[in-house]
Amino acid sequence: MKYPDNILEVGSLLPDYMGFIFWEKSARYFDGVIPDLPKSIKKVGVFVNATQDEILEKIIKYDLQAVQLHGQESVNFCQDLKNEIDDSIEIIKVFSVDDAFDFEVLKPFEVVCDYFLFDTKGKLPGGNGTTFDWKVLEKYPSSKPFFLSGGIGIEEMDAVNEILKTNLPLYAIDVNSKFEIEPGLKNIELCRNIRRDALQCVSIDNKIKK
C-alpha cells in the first residue's frame, strides 16, 4: 500500500494484514503517513536487507505489528531482532521458491520466526507477479504456518482451496500486483472481489494480506 485514500478504501474491507514496503528500490516504496486503520488490521513493514536499527525505527514510527524480511537475513539476525522487539510483533521470513527449492534451509529459522512466506523466485526480491509451481509445497516438512505469495489473483483461488484441503499449514494468502492499477495503488473492486471469494473458499482461520 502507498496512497492514503487508497489505504483507507482497502482498509474498509478489513484485510487481516496490510503491507508497507520500506525498500527504496521498490516502485511501491512507502515514506508517507499511514492513516488511522481499524485495530484488527495488522500493519506489516516489508524490508530487504535492512539494518536492525532501520527496522526498529520503522516499527516505532509506524506502529507496526509485523515485520516481513524479504532479503538474505540470517538466523542470527532474526534472533537478534526477535530479542529487541515486543513479543506481540510478528516476524515473517520470506523465501523465494522455484522447483529446486531445498526446504531444509527452513529448519534453523523455525524458532526465530512466527511465519514463513513463500514467494516466486525472480529478478526482484518480490513483486514479480508470477506464481511458482505450488506442487513443490508437497515437500514442505514443517508445521510452521506460512503465507503464500507470488502472482495470486482471482483465478488462483480454486488452487488455493485445493491446498486448504491438504494438511499443509497455509495461514494466509498475500495478494498484490494482480489487484493494482499501478504499483502501490489497489483496484478497490478487485480487492472487494478477492475478499468475497476468499471468504467463500478459505476457513475462518486463514488470513488475507494486501
Side-chain angles (χ1 to χ4, degrees), residues 121-149:
K121 188 172 184 179
K123 294 181 179 180
L124 299 174
N128 293 287
T130 57
T131 58
F132 61 92
D133 185 353
W134 293 349
K135 289 184 179 180
V136 73
L137 295 174
E138 295 174 1
K139 302 176 184 178
Y140 186 61
S142 175
S143 61
K144 177 70 68 177
F146 64 85
F147 288 63
L148 183 60
S149 186

Side-chain angles (χ1 to χ4, degrees), residues 44-133:
V44 185
V46 181
F47 301 91
V48 180
N49 298 323
T51 66
Q52 181 174 289
D53 286 345
E54 289 170 340
I55 295 172
L56 295 175
E57 186 268 329
K58 291 297 191 295
I59 288 174
I60 294 170
K61 180 176 181 179
Y62 292 105
D63 186 28
L64 302 178
Q65 285 78 51
V67 171
Q68 183 173 313
L69 303 177
H70 225 300
Q72 286 76 49
E73 297 85 5
S74 67
V75 174
N76 288 339
F77 182 92
C78 294
Q79 181 64 70
D80 290 344
L81 180 62
K82 187 178 182 69
N83 292 341
E84 290 295 326
I85 62 178
D86 189 275
D87 288 342
S88 65
I89 299 174
E90 300 170 355
I91 296 179
I92 306 165
K93 183 68 185 81
V94 179
F95 295 89
S96 297
V97 176
D98 59 12
D99 293 345
F101 183 74
D102 181 7
F103 285 98
E104 291 300 310
V105 303
L106 304 177
K107 286 186 178 180
F109 288 91
E110 290 189 352
V111 296
V112 296
C113 300
D114 296 285
Y115 304 102
F116 296 139
L117 185 151
F118 298 128
D119 200 357
T120 306
K121 188 172 184 179
K123 294 181 179 180
L124 299 174
N128 293 287
T130 57
T131 58
F132 61 92
D133 185 353

Side-chain angles (χ1 to χ4, degrees), residues 145-203:
F146 64 85
F147 288 63
L148 183 60
S149 186
I152 298 176
I154 298 290
E155 61 274 16
E156 277 73 43
M157 292 310 298
D158 286 343
V160 169
N161 198 31
E162 290 302 311
I163 293 177
L164 291 170
K165 295 176 182 178
T166 71
N167 292 323
L168 288 168
L170 173 59
Y171 177 73
I173 55 171
D174 185 326
V175 300
N176 191 16
S177 59
K178 288 192 175 180
F179 296 86
E180 289 186 324
I181 299 168
E182 62 182 60
L185 181 65
K186 299 301 183 289
N187 182 314
I188 191 66
E189 289 304 318
L190 290 180
C191 290
R192 187 175 286 115
N193 290 342
I194 189 67
R195 181 69 176 177
R196 179 201 63 216
D197 290 359
L199 291 175
Q200 289 176 352
C201 79
V202 303
S203 70

Side-chain angles (χ1 to χ4, degrees), residues 3-63:
Y3 302 101
D5 289 346
N6 193 229
I7 290 169
L8 289 173
E9 282 187 312
V10 174
S12 70
L13 302 178
L14 299 179
D16 300 284
Y17 293 83
M18 187 175 287
F20 300 90
I21 295 179
F22 298 114
W23 184 52
E24 292 187 4
K25 294 181 180 180
S26 172
R28 302 177 181 90
Y29 174 66
F30 183 83
D31 63 352
V33 176
I34 300 176
D36 289 337
L37 292 168
K39 296 297 184 182
S40 63
I41 300 174
K42 294 182 179 181
K43 291 174 287 187
V44 185
V46 181
F47 301 91
V48 180
N49 298 323
T51 66
Q52 181 174 289
D53 286 345
E54 289 170 340
I55 295 172
L56 295 175
E57 186 268 329
K58 291 297 191 295
I59 288 174
I60 294 170
K61 180 176 181 179
Y62 292 105
D63 186 28

